[in-house]
Amino acid sequence: MMEVEARIEQVTLYARGARVRRAATLAVTPEPAGAAAGHATADPPRIRIVGLPGALIDDTVRVEAEGGAVVTAVHVGVDAPAPEAAADEAAPEVRAAQHRMAIAEAEVARIKAALAILTAAPIALSPEGDDPPPAWHAIVAARRALVGLRAERELALRDQAATASRELERAGRALAAAVDRDRRAGSDRRPKLHEVRKHVELELATGATGGGTVYLEYQVAAARWAPSYVARLDGDRVAFELRAAVAQDTGEDWTGVALRLSTAEPERFGALPELASQRIGRRQADPPRAGFRAPPVGAAELYLDYARAFPGAGDGGGDLDLDGEETQERSPIGSQDGGRSRPASGAFKQQVWDEETSRAKQIPVAMPPPGAMPPPGPPPMPRSSAPPSAGYAPGSPGSPKSAGALANVKTMFSAAAYGAPDMKKTGPADALGGGGAPRQESGAPAELAASAAPPRLDYANLRMAPPGSADRGTLIATPRGPTELALDSSARSRVERLAELALPDGCSTDWPHTYDYAFTSDGAVDVASDRAWHSIAVTARPSTAKLRHVAVPREQPDAFRIAVIANPLAGPLLPGPIDVYDRGNFLVTSTVDHTPPGASVEIGLGVDAQVKLSRNTEFREEAAGMLRGALRLHHAIRIDVDNLSDRAIDLEVRERLPVARDGDTDVEVVAGKIDPAWERWTPDPDAPRDRRLRGGYRWRLTIAARTKRALRAAYEVKIAGKHELVGGNRRES
């Protein structure tokens, strides 16, 4: 078997999760003729693609081959790296820092040991032998020299200890910095001796020659993205940039890959529409739809040869006599025991086929008490694509039925025998386990409603139970080992940690799924697997912008600049923040709402200091009527606009006149002279707070550069002379 590594060439990033596409070049060597002649059947060549992350979802693996390679089978497995492959566990910088740290620690320990020996050494030694003691002045001089030597040695060791301590501190800081840089660089690491990785094993067609390219695709869950934008204004031209905040914790770095940002959700449930039938004739009631299909009859006869060869093998499911009748009464599917009889408690012996001795052997299997048995209904179906274990016992040699019996059972026992919920009746939540037990359909057995539906009908990971087990004749989930369960737990923890990561300021992942689109990056990008947000430049497109000004001088004497930018992308603009620059100067950070292709988005650019406005009003009262029993309240408004910029502007000035209450005949508002003419203005229907606003008008005009313009409006309010308006007759201030 040949092991190869596949490079990552493209990543499709979804709102939750990603699909990784790898490419590997294969060189298939034809088997020698002599070797092929020595075997009755030559083994097909196998290629193992190694180095895949543990977060890989098994049942999403897809393989595409080009060239001379023809892939006939695909298997996903886990393995641990070889010791020589996992010896280099740390980065070179970290290893150098660790080596420096070890040397510093050893030097500190050596100096401390030398100081301890020097401190414990005595100065005066008792004389040995029968020689007379030397003169007292000689003893004093010797001790004085020894004390001086000891003090000098201790002083030197203290200086060395201080230097070694400082070096140890510097080595510790260097090691911490190297570890931090290595951690921030990504989580793509060579597996350690105690870690496992996944691999994909490809079985090629026998006799394939030459080379080829294999493309491997798989899905990982711990990945997210959110859009953001940049608009660079230069007059009426705009350089529009799409950026993305990307975070992933898949266990592998995406280096130099082509990135595609998709708005789709790969795990999103979508039900196909059901077309109603059209009939000609008298209306008749539709027949009730049944959500239950009974399993095929005659399945027990498929085990006749096995029962003859191994009497008493199927203790859990009832033994078969030679006539095909069961010695134990079996309950129908959906009853309390799940359609098969079980021992009450204790242990039973299961017969399996021993390939070495070519005979059956008994294996004691402990059975839980009846109270600890799992609830009735179909078994759980985890997401796994591990191949079924070799636990099928063949029939007796020479039997005409034993060769295809198990294959027929696999074909006959479809997943419909488990009572799969009807998507039309239960809905997507019930079908995926979110709605509890499925609704009972008319025509289904009553006891079937008591059994809960599986959380996910994972048909690809079901296998037939061995004929010697208590579940023979039924589909069971593929057993999973502790390694696969540990990998699944690690993948779930990665997804949970990434989901807790807060989005960058202003970013959003809440966009409508009316249709899905994928944005492709213009070049290769790098995204480290460090569970942190990375700003990625996706693409840039030229666009046009139409600038206009809006002013409401009644509320504020400022003119606000608004840019209407056309969407230059072939896809929609998703909700997110946008940074706006004007001739290289940063203006403002605004937000973009969902904008379809071909539409425009309005972005507020703030107050334009080069446009000045002033609003002045006049008011006077006048008696009217034949008996002078009415009042006319005259109001005049003058708005002066001064454009101090070097270019013409399109200005929209909004005003409002008082409006009489509906059905009130005592108050009448009449518009007077308007110069220049204005038009009625009603708020945008998307602004529900302003729908009650009435009496709105606006001027729309173009003001040349460095030009002043005056806007005038007059109106009068007619009321009875004995009345007064609430708040005063003066409406303008």
Side-chain angles (χ1 to χ4, degrees):
M1 180 182 299
M2 182 176 62
E3 293 186 355
V4 298
E5 291 188 358
R7 67 184 184 279
I8 301 178
E9 64 173 16
Q10 187 184 69
V11 175
T12 302
L13 191 58
Y14 302 103
R16 288 185 295 271
R19 175 165 290 275
V20 181
R21 181 179 177 89
R22 289 175 176 259
T25 302
L26 306 180
V28 182
T29 304
E31 189 176 0
H39 300 81
T41 302
D43 294 335
R46 293 177 177 269
I47 302 295
R48 176 173 291 184
I49 301 178
V50 297
L52 304 180
L56 177 147
I57 302 176
D58 297 356
D59 54 3
T60 62
V61 174
R62 303 291 183 268
V63 176
E64 177 185 353
E66 293 181 356
V70 179
V71 180
T72 58
V74 180
H75 304 281
V76 180
V78 295
D79 57 359
E84 57 272 10
D88 190 10
E89 297 180 355
E93 184 184 5
V94 177
R95 290 200 311 273
Q98 291 174 347
H99 181 66
R100 179 183 175 184
M101 186 73 177
I103 293 177
E105 290 176 346
E107 182 66 13
V108 170
R110 183 190 67 80
I111 296 174
K112 286 183 178 180
L115 283 172
I117 295 174
L118 184 63
T119 304
I123 297 178
L125 299 177
S126 57
E128 298 180 358
D130 298 335
D131 298 336
W136 181 251
H137 66 85
I139 295 176
V140 172
R143 290 186 177 179
R144 181 180 296 176
L146 184 60
V147 169
L149 179 62
R150 177 176 177 176
E152 182 181 355
R153 177 60 178 166
E154 183 178 1
L155 183 60
L157 288 178
R158 296 293 182 186
D159 293 340
Q160 294 178 11
T163 303
S165 298
R166 289 193 296 268
E167 175 61 22
L168 179 61
E169 184 179 356
R170 287 192 295 266
R173 290 197 299 266
L175 177 60
V179 171
D180 183 70
R181 284 193 297 268
D182 186 63
R183 179 184 61 83
R184 292 177 182 274
S187 61
D188 188 14
R189 298 289 184 272
R190 298 182 66 88
K192 300 180 180 180
L193 290 174
H194 64 278
E195 294 179 344
V196 294
R197 285 289 181 101
K198 289 190 176 183
H199 66 266
V200 173
E201 189 173 311
L202 308 179
E203 183 176 321
L204 306 181
T206 305
T209 60
T213 303
V214 173
Y215 298 98
L216 174 67
E217 291 188 3
Y218 56 87
Q219 187 174 328
V220 289
R224 300 171 59 190
W225 78 281
S228 62
Y229 310 93
V230 175
R232 305 183 186 275
L233 302 177
D234 188 5
D236 57 353
R237 293 176 299 176
V238 180
F240 194 86
E241 301 176 8
L242 169 63
R243 305 183 66 89
V246 179
Q248 60 110 348
D249 190 19
T250 61
E252 60 179 358
D253 290 345
W254 300 337
T255 305
V257 302
L259 190 63
R260 300 177 71 245
L261 304 173
S262 176
T263 63
E265 293 184 0
E267 297 294 334
R268 185 167 177 258
F269 177 80
L272 295 177
E274 182 177 353
L275 301 179
S277 61
Q278 295 182 356
R279 305 170 184 174
I280 300 177
R282 181 173 297 178
R283 178 181 178 86
Q284 298 179 359
D286 294 335
R289 295 175 57 88
F292 170 79
R293 282 169 48 189
V297 297
E301 298 179 359
L302 300 175
Y303 294 94
L304 290 179
D305 296 336
Y306 182 84
R308 292 189 184 97
F310 311 106
D315 293 342
D319 294 339
L320 300 177
D321 56 17
L322 296 182
D323 296 333
E325 299 292 337
E326 295 189 8
T327 58
Q328 300 179 10
E329 182 179 359
R330 296 172 61 92
S331 302
I333 292 182
S335 60
Q336 295 294 330
D337 57 357
R340 46 189 176 274
S341 301
R342 302 179 183 269
S345 62
F348 73 97
K349 292 184 178 181
Q350 178 181 1
Q351 272 194 347
V352 298
W353 185 259
D354 191 351
E355 298 291 347
E356 297 180 358
T357 60
S358 299
R359 64 183 62 183
K361 59 181 180 181
Q362 302 284 343
I363 297 180
V365 180
M367 291 292 292
M373 294 298 290
M381 305 172 189
R383 298 169 63 88
S384 174
S385 60
S389 58
Y392 303 107
S396 58
S399 172
K401 295 183 178 180
S402 60
L406 293 179
N408 293 336
V409 172
K410 292 181 181 180
T411 304
M412 295 177 64
F413 275 74
S414 62
Y418 284 103
D422 187 3
M423 300 297 181
K424 178 174 180 291
K425 300 294 183 181
T426 60
D430 297 336
L432 297 178
R439 304 175 186 176
Q440 182 180 358
E441 304 293 342
S442 57
E447 58 271 12
L448 186 64
S451 63
R456 181 179 177 125
L457 299 178
D458 198 355
Y459 304 116
N461 297 321
L462 298 178
R463 69 173 180 87
M464 289 299 301
S469 71
D471 297 325
R472 72 179 184 188
T474 59
L475 291 172
I476 63 175
T478 302
R480 314 193 71 189
T483 301
E484 294 177 336
L485 296 178
L487 287 176
D488 285 351
S489 177
S490 175
R492 285 194 297 270
S493 64
R494 288 175 180 269
V495 174
E496 293 173 358
R497 292 197 304 265
L498 193 66
E500 296 173 356
L501 185 63
L503 287 169
D505 293 340
C507 291
S508 172
T509 57
D510 185 15
W511 54 71
H513 289 277
T514 52
Y515 58 90
D516 296 318
Y517 187 81
F519 304 93
T520 304
S521 61
D522 292 340
V525 300
D526 298 340
V527 182
S529 176
D530 54 0
R531 195 161 53 89
W533 291 108
H534 301 268
S535 181
I536 305 297
V538 180
T539 184
R541 295 288 187 272
S543 181
T544 58
K546 184 178 181 181
L547 298 177
R548 62 188 181 94
H549 291 69
V550 176
V552 187
R554 182 188 183 95
E555 305 295 335
Q556 184 174 346
D558 293 319
F560 295 87
R561 191 164 53 147
I562 297 177
V564 182
I565 302 177
N567 180 11
L569 305 178
L573 297 182
L574 305 177
I578 181 171
D579 296 334
V580 184
Y581 295 82
D582 187 6
R583 293 180 173 88
N585 298 321
F586 175 76
L587 286 182
V588 69
T589 297
S590 184
T591 58
V592 174
D593 295 331
H594 184 269
T595 305
S600 300
V601 56
E602 287 191 357
I603 301 175
L605 305 182
V607 176
D608 190 349
Q610 294 183 332
V611 179
K612 303 296 183 179
L613 294 97
S614 63
R615 185 175 185 270
N616 301 304
T617 61
E618 296 179 0
F619 171 74
R620 62 184 178 87
E621 293 186 8
E622 178 186 356
M626 295 181 61
L627 302 179
R628 309 186 66 83
L631 284 178
R632 290 185 179 180
L633 311 177
H634 296 275
H635 296 80
I637 302 173
R638 177 189 173 92
I639 300 175
D640 295 322
V641 181
D642 189 2
N643 181 15
L644 303 178
S645 63
D646 296 332
R647 54 186 176 181
I649 62 172
D650 294 332
L651 180 62
E652 176 182 332
V653 180
R654 296 175 182 175
E655 265 296 337
R656 182 185 180 186
L657 297 185
V659 179
R661 188 170 49 189
D662 294 339
D664 190 351
T665 58
D666 295 336
V667 179
E668 182 182 0
V669 180
V670 179
K673 183 179 179 181
I674 310 296
D675 183 29
W678 62 15
E679 62 183 16
R680 284 191 174 273
W681 173 78
T682 56
D684 191 348
D686 295 337
R689 298 179 182 177
D690 299 335
R691 289 184 180 179
R692 61 180 180 271
L693 178 64
R694 297 185 300 168
Y697 295 88
R698 65 181 176 183
W699 286 283
R700 303 178 70 175
L701 63 160
T702 301
I703 302 178
R706 301 188 178 278
T707 304
K708 293 184 179 181
R709 188 74 179 271
L711 310 178
R712 295 180 175 85
Y715 67 92
E716 61 181 24
V717 180
K718 297 179 181 181
I719 60 175
K722 60 181 179 180
H723 292 167
E724 183 178 357
L725 297 178
V726 177
N729 291 340
R730 188 184 181 97
R731 298 288 92 188
E732 302 292 339
S733 59

